[in-house]
Amino acid sequence: DAGITQSPRYKITETGRQVTLMCHQTWSHSYMFWYRQDLGHGLRLIYYSAAADITDKGEVPDGYVVSRSKTENFPLTLESATRSQTSVYFCASTGGSNQPQHFGDGTRLSIL
Amino acid sequence: GENVEQHPSTLSVQEGDSAVIKCTYSDSASNYFPWYKQELGKGPQLIIDIRSNVGEKKDQRIAVTLNKTAKHFSLHITETQPEDSAVYFCAALVPGTASKLTFGTGTRLQVTL
């Protein structure tokens, strides 16, 4: 089925570990986004990508790394996880200008 | 950059009543305003959106109004039902970008029987 999928849905890890969250979309959308959702802050943009091999920082990029070697995939890596990165992470995609973003169901990440 | 404020943060209404959620944005050049509904354990889902060339848009029990002069837009839900209970987010397109959105902080709507 077409759509946007995130994996894993839940992840528990320890501080200092590297963890990668995966995002895959089947619409061939040009734009992809990573958000984190925390109580009282709504959705905050971490990184986004306008096309394969084109990425840019959002509002809260520190501690995160992204890559986009293929249009359909947009992985997010926490190189050395910290407790402050405990959050729910959402990936989204859109076809372009003034088009709605479509969200995955999120990854709940806990860092102990 | 664009800033979006959303009120109220929580809203409780009785089934059958109307609910209104309001958002203001800071950059008058914004021209696209989507609304999302997020149910527990799910990602946000688009429910309605409006572009700056119209003042109102309706889809069954849901409507959005836009006042460009005042830089605010509102979501109206009529004849609320228990399944309308969720968190609602407004957003505005960041001017000068093709697709970046700035989100409000969300409104938790509870529809009571």
Side-chain angles (χ1 to χ4, degrees), chain B residues 1-46:
Chain B
E2 177 71 280
N3 184 51
V4 175
E5 294 189 359
Q6 183 172 348
H7 298 281
S9 56
T10 60
L11 180 59
S12 182
V13 299
Q14 286 197 319
E15 183 179 7
D17 287 350
S18 295
V20 180
I21 302 170
K22 298 181 179 181
C23 290
T24 60
Y25 59 99
S26 60
D27 196 324
S28 58
S30 285
N31 61 8
Y32 175 65
F33 307 92
W35 284 90
Y36 288 85
K37 175 183 180 182
Q38 186 178 25
E39 297 176 335
L40 197 62
K42 296 286 189 180
Q45 299 293 312
L46 179 77

Side-chain angles (χ1 to χ4, degrees), chain A residues 38-88:
Chain A
D38 305 288
L39 198 62
H41 291 280
L43 291 156
R44 292 184 292 175
L45 183 65
I46 304 170
Y47 268 96
Y48 65 103
S49 170
D53 297 323
I54 300 174
T55 63
D56 208 348
K57 296 178 180 179
E59 181 184 353
V60 288
D62 292 344
Y64 303 96
V65 174
V66 293
S67 61
R68 190 141 178 237
S69 57
K70 292 184 177 182
T71 299
E72 61 266 31
N73 297 324
F74 191 37
L76 176 74
T77 297
L78 289 67
E79 291 191 306
S80 178
T82 65
R83 290 196 181 92
S84 64
Q85 293 176 308
T86 292
S87 186
V88 182

